[in-house]
Amino acid sequence: MDTDPVFSENPRLKSITEQINNSPKDASLYFERGGLLHKLKLDTLAIKDYKKAATIDTTQAKYYSAVGDLLFEHKDINGSIEWIQKAIAKDPTDQKAHLKIAKLFLYLKNYPQAFAEINIVMRKNVYDPEAYFLKGMIYKDMKDTAKAISSFETAKQVAPDYRDAIIQLGLLFSAKKDPIALNYLDDAYKMDSSDVFPLFAKGVYYQNAKDYTSAKEIYRKCILRNTHYIDAYFNMGYIYMQQDSVEKSFRQYDIITKLDPLNPTAYFNRGLCNEMMNKPKDAVADYRQARGLDTAYKSPKEALKRLGVQ
């Protein structure tokens, strides 16, 4: 019987736990509760429930796969591979499991094994968009831009609303300084305007092209849409610094220290602004704060040494 108090704190958890206590041999109930625990960010308990489900019913590949997914989220790569391989052993035709393990091999930079898993899927379904997307990610990681673009374009042809593939095309064409990148990023943003990353990526395109006016306009749109989008403030601060607007740059980094008070780079950059505005005491305080937040961060140590303090 489950007596952990967390199971009685949430009405849905309490209900399914009561069902488990009444039917302790029902694997599907543990699997269902595991999913709910994961949504509640109680992953240690979720993994335990998924493993329990797999122990009770050893025929269900999805139970093993669920364990592998969570272990991957928590960077236990070897453990994740082990459980997803168990899922594949239970159901060798499970295309999703093959693609999951391909992602793991990509993470480990074991490209031949990643391609091998993808090819298993493509032999069954030559039109699987995720297979092409993963091939694109592998080629991107291998710095083969042409093949990466080709794979992402194929994924988009097979599934025109494959947003992740469209974003990757935007990023790759942006790196090539090709303005077609803007079309892809616009399309991706229109698909889901709650995610401002494609908008931010447009700003980066303009910034890299030294079109600072357009870049700042885009970053402002990012911030209006998501006031906590830290990278937009960082890039605005950088641009203002390039334009010798140190006070405006300072304000961007100052905002970041309030939104993300444990961000050492924000304090270091604000310290640089203070130093440039001839405010050495404030600069030293910022550099010390940055150093304290990240003892391996060399820049604030060098800055303090430059100012003759510790």
Side-chain angles (χ1 to χ4, degrees):
M1 180 174 290
D2 290 310
T3 58
D4 192 314
V6 74
F7 294 131
S8 60
E9 292 172 1
N10 178 288
R12 288 181 63 195
L13 272 180
K14 184 177 181 180
S15 173
I16 196 168
T17 299
E18 288 173 352
Q19 294 178 61
I20 287 172
N21 289 337
N22 291 328
S23 304
K25 298 296 184 182
D26 189 335
S28 66
L29 292 175
Y30 285 98
F31 182 71
E32 182 181 347
R33 190 174 69 176
L36 180 55
L37 288 165
H38 177 46
K39 288 180 181 178
L40 295 171
K41 302 188 186 304
L42 298 170
D43 285 352
T44 300
L45 292 172
I47 290 173
K48 184 178 178 181
D49 268 2
Y50 286 148
K51 286 183 176 179
K52 182 71 173 179
T55 301
I56 295 171
D57 185 350
T58 61
T59 67
Q60 293 293 318
K62 66 181 181 180
Y63 297 163
Y64 295 88
S65 190
V67 178
D69 288 345
L70 272 188
L71 291 175
F72 178 69
E73 285 185 25
H74 291 274
K75 302 296 187 287
D76 183 353
I77 305 303
N78 291 329
S80 181
I81 289 175
E82 177 187 348
W83 279 88
I84 294 178
Q85 284 178 331
K86 288 179 180 178
I88 291 172
K90 297 295 177 184
D91 182 5
T93 65
D94 186 343
Q95 295 182 20
K96 286 188 176 181
H98 284 290
L99 293 177
K100 285 175 184 177
I101 207 163
K103 289 180 187 177
L104 293 170
F105 286 130
L106 168 59
Y107 185 86
L108 294 171
K109 298 188 182 298
N110 186 339
Y111 305 129
Q113 278 298 118
F115 278 126
E117 295 294 334
I118 292 169
N119 289 336
I120 290 171
V121 173
M122 296 186 74
R123 281 196 289 271
K124 295 284 185 180
N125 179 12
V126 72
Y127 297 112
D128 190 304
E130 189 178 359
Y132 287 106
F133 177 78
L134 281 175
K135 285 182 73 173
M137 293 303 293
I138 296 170
Y139 285 128
K140 181 182 178 182
D141 213 45
M142 294 170 66
K143 311 300 183 189
D144 190 335
T145 302
K147 287 184 178 179
I149 287 173
S150 177
S151 294
F152 292 134
E153 285 179 336
T154 304
K156 181 178 179 294
Q157 288 168 4
V158 174
D161 60 347
Y162 202 142
R163 187 171 183 269
D164 287 342
I166 294 169
I167 290 174
Q168 288 300 323
L169 286 167
L171 296 176
L172 289 173
F173 280 113
S174 181
K176 289 163 62 72
K177 301 181 180 178
D178 188 329
I180 197 174
L182 301 175
N183 296 335
Y184 285 115
L185 295 171
D186 279 337
D187 288 345
Y189 182 60
K190 288 173 186 174
M191 288 179 179
D192 180 6
S193 60
S194 67
D195 173 20
V196 300
F197 175 75
L199 196 59
F200 172 77
K202 278 186 67 176
V204 173
Y205 173 88
Y206 287 122
Q207 180 178 328
N208 290 339
K210 299 288 193 293
D211 183 352
Y212 292 147
T213 300
S214 296
K216 286 189 293 184
E217 181 182 347
I218 295 294
Y219 293 144
R220 289 191 191 102
K221 287 181 180 178
C222 285
I223 291 166
L224 283 172
R225 186 69 187 174
N226 181 352
T227 55
H228 285 73
Y229 204 81
I230 301 298
D231 288 344
Y233 294 103
F234 267 119
N235 286 20
M236 287 274 280
Y238 171 83
I239 290 174
Y240 281 129
M241 189 74 79
Q242 302 309 302
Q243 296 178 324
D244 296 324
S245 300
V246 181
E247 290 185 3
K248 290 182 179 179
S249 182
F250 169 89
R251 285 199 287 273
Q252 301 303 310
Y253 299 130
D254 187 53
I255 291 170
I256 299 172
T257 63
K258 293 176 173 60
L259 294 175
D260 186 7
L262 299 180
N263 192 311
T265 307
Y267 288 101
F268 172 73
N269 287 2
R270 191 176 73 175
L272 281 177
C273 292
N274 276 319
E275 188 176 351
M276 294 175 72
M277 291 188 296
N278 198 28
K279 296 179 179 179
K281 288 186 179 180
D282 291 339
V284 167
D286 279 338
Y287 293 147
R288 284 175 173 163
Q289 182 72 8
R291 182 184 62 185
L293 289 169
D294 184 356
T295 56
Y297 193 5
K298 292 182 179 179
S299 296
K301 296 176 184 177
E302 293 169 354
L304 289 167
K305 185 177 180 181
R306 181 175 66 245
L307 294 175
V309 294
Q310 295 297 318

